[in-house]
Amino acid sequence: GAGIARALKEAGYRVVVNYFSADAVARDFEAASGIPVFKWDVSDFDACKAGIEDVRRQHGAVEILINNAGTVSDNKFENMDEAQWHRVLRVNLDSLFHMCQQVYPDMMANKWGRIVNIGSMNGQAGQLNQGNYVAAKSGMHGFTKALALEGAKHGITVNTVAPGYVDTDMVRAVPENVLEKIIASIPVGRLGRAGDIARTVKFLVADDADFITGSTLSVNGGHHMY
């Protein structure tokens, strides 16, 4: 998310970001980047409504929306409880509805808009012990296609970017022997970088990407070809 926000700002876009729980990280990011941060829970519809109203008052209507919020709560299916299931679905899938509902009317009125959803290779390929996460990310692909059909006549494009394994703190926390196997299974021979994802998003939100909608762009080094 930070990489995408910085890349869009560097490209000349006026950017604001949303976060929920990492207060210190958000403050440091805002201070270092100069990008305003707003705090609310995207799994809560009313919080999204109030949050976007605040953004609109301070910065104007949202023309580009990047849905990047995500969480995991992995478990074997037989051990997964209801709370794990619903929390992951709310953050990773329900948030698309919550956020798009707030900005879609302005995009319709302006006859222009860009929505980019950040999915996952695992939503395409499946993954052990991630029934909740895979269901949410797979649902994102379907939502993207449906909203793209509705938005096309209004000048709104809706696409998904599906990253593979990206060099983040979370991935680097994987045991070294496991990480080596992951990298060895990626045809290009490396983990993804934040810039790989950010450049893809920047491409999709451009004016001249108006003929690309309802698509999923896989950015995974050939790890899964879909």
Side-chain angles (χ1 to χ4, degrees):
I4 292 169
R6 288 192 181 98
L8 292 178
K9 183 182 179 183
E10 290 169 3
Y13 294 93
R14 187 177 184 182
V15 181
V16 303
V17 300
N18 155 262
Y19 80 102
F20 177 52
S21 60
D23 292 323
V25 173
R27 286 194 301 268
D28 290 346
F29 171 81
E30 185 174 38
S33 68
I35 297 172
V37 298
F38 291 78
K39 182 178 182 178
W40 73 80
D41 181 0
V42 294
S43 73
D44 182 324
F45 183 88
D46 291 334
C48 291
K49 183 176 181 179
I52 291 296
E53 286 176 353
D54 196 15
V55 170
R56 190 183 289 110
R57 281 193 301 270
Q58 296 187 44
H59 300 282
V62 175
E63 298 175 306
I64 297 170
L65 173 65
I66 314 299
N67 286 307
N68 186 58
T71 190
V72 294
S73 185
D74 299 349
N75 212 339
K76 292 182 178 180
F77 181 72
E78 64 267 27
N79 298 325
M80 185 174 291
D81 61 32
E82 188 177 11
Q84 287 179 299
W85 176 267
H86 286 295
R87 176 60 182 165
V88 171
L89 268 290
R90 283 197 302 270
V91 172
N92 292 313
L93 185 58
D94 290 357
S95 63
L96 304 184
F97 174 78
H98 298 166
M99 290 297 295
C100 289
Q101 275 277 302
Q102 313 314 319
V103 303
Y104 193 77
D106 285 333
M107 292 180 178
M108 289 178 65
N110 293 333
K111 294 295 182 182
W112 195 93
R114 297 286 185 267
I115 297 171
V116 180
N117 304 315
I118 307 301
S120 169
M121 179 181 74
N122 289 351
Q124 301 168 311
Q127 183 58 269
L128 290 168
N129 306 327
Q130 283 196 330
N132 48 6
Y133 182 82
V134 170
K137 293 300 187 180
S138 296
M140 176 184 285
H141 299 315
F143 174 82
T144 293
K145 294 174 184 177
L147 190 57
L149 288 171
E150 294 190 36
K153 62 180 176 291
H154 303 295
I156 302 167
T157 67
V158 188
N159 293 288
T160 292
V161 175
Y165 287 95
V166 178
D167 191 359
T168 62
D169 290 341
M170 183 177 69
V171 171
R172 285 293 175 184
V174 171
E176 186 175 350
N177 63 321
V178 176
L179 187 58
E180 289 175 354
K181 291 178 181 178
I182 290 172
I183 294 173
S185 67
I186 300 172
V188 303
R190 67 167 175 86
L191 295 172
R193 304 185 182 106
D196 297 324
I197 311 306
R199 284 190 295 274
T200 307
V201 172
K202 190 166 63 173
F203 165 70
L204 288 172
V205 302
D207 283 333
D208 54 7
D210 61 344
F211 202 59
I212 303 171
T213 194
S215 294
T216 295
L217 274 66
S218 298
V219 187
N220 61 38
H223 198 178
H224 177 67
M225 300 184 186
Y226 177 72

